Amino acid sequence: MTKQSPTALHELGAAELVAGYRRREFSPVEVARSVLGHAERWEQHLQALFLLRPERVMEQARASEKRWLQGAPLGLIDGVPVTIKDNIATQGDPTPLGTAATDMAPALQDAPPAARVREHGGVVLAKTTMPDYGMLSSGLSSYHKLARNPWDFSKTPGGSSAGAGSAAAAGYGPLHIGTDIGGSLRLPAGWCGIFTLKPSLGRIPIDPPYTGRAAGPMTRTVADAALFLDVLSRPDERDSMSLPAQHIAWSAFDAGVDKLRGLRIGLLLEAGCGLAVEPEVKDAIQRAAALFERAGAVVAPMQPFMTQSMLDGMDHFWRMRSYADMRALPAETKARVLPYIQQWADSAAGMTGEAVYRAVHQFHHTRVTTVNACRPFDYVISPVSPVPAPPAEFASPTNDPMRPLEHIGFTVPFNMSEQPAASINCGYTRSGLPIGLQIAGKRFDDLGVLQVARAFELVREGQRPWPQPPSEALHHVD
């Protein structure tokens, strides 16, 4: 396997890698070396990875190479590098959940997404970093080093799938797994210029399951996400909300631009709560809407349907949940939690039972309101975030623990309604930061959302080259 690939191996998509292995143009060992070398050049700047163990990566790659030489690959992604978010358990490894306050006992088994990766022969490159307990839209953590955005090191990659978003944009191989309870896949995807799908609840089993919680692929292209969904979307009884087995033709993700013809598209430009949408973001979304119209879709404006009461209710419940969790910690352990998270959680100390009940009710209210608002449309497009990526050191765009969720008004409703929602890049700010377009579909229409995203991928404005490590950008070293 010695033929030279015209493109750097770490830049190839998952399907291209599998095809190359099958044709013996290059091997999983060569790809692993390329990705490891590329990540090494980036990591001092991005700090996206946790548990990077090159010797284990090469061991997996050699085993995959042997299988390919024997003509017996394990599955759809045999030999393809994959990263897995910190909070998705991998057998034998600690799961710190982004915080220095966590017990570092090794996990007894792989969580469902990690198990599917191994069953299909994926080469686990590393785990990716996240903020404390996944409760921030940034890479700020009391355990991990501060993750940064490869488009601008002074900016956050977003969160809580911070390292995954950064790694995908930087080219640490083609496949990355993140999680999302209010925007934690889509926010880093939008701020890092990559693609993701927060699937319908239960489409990708996860353990532990939780209201609104989803795992999903984070990739540079819709094609790679579609292939990865074929791997990850297998039922698992450990997830009480896992959907029944269903044949979905993920390979049919590319229905062409004709997919858009005649579709009823809702255009949501204001969330109804939280931060106002910045002009550069609104302009990019409106340009995207014009492209949908030009392709034959019928685009109609939507009225905001979220309210500040809905957003505050979810925020207050999550505060109380974290407050209760942290009250169970010894004082010296709690003191290791990020101060921002401590202050946020402790603010729930005086909440009454009635206040907690009213907060919980907002989850259901958000669900019903979102489904009703989307009913007239086949798909809904909107900003992912009202603002571009904020400073890396900020815990959230406001950097205020009393106003922590003011940026998730577009993303969180689709967690509660269980609807699939993607993020795809639709433009850049004047300073060169990516701007994410959210595409949401009806519950269970995950393939349809992929097809609409792929159609937009075909018609969108030209994309800028992916960022390169500073030494490569300056010296053009391959």
Side-chain angles (χ1 to χ4, degrees), residues 92-163:
D93 297 326
T95 310
L97 306 178
T99 180
T102 302
D103 179 4
M104 296 293 283
L108 298 179
Q109 61 180 341
D110 288 331
R116 301 297 89 78
V117 167
R118 296 197 205 275
E119 290 163 6
H120 281 263
V123 173
V124 178
L125 176 71
K127 305 295 285 290
T128 49
T129 58
M130 62 181 281
D132 288 53
Y133 302 113
M135 293 310 297
L136 298 178
S137 297
S138 79
L140 192 64
S141 164
S142 62
Y143 180 80
H144 301 298
K145 293 179 180 179
L146 177 65
R148 296 182 181 273
N149 191 318
W151 293 92
D152 182 340
F153 299 156
S154 73
K155 304 299 183 182
T156 182
S160 64
S161 302

Side-chain angles (χ1 to χ4, degrees), residues 14 69 375 432:
L69 287 170
R375 184 171 289 115

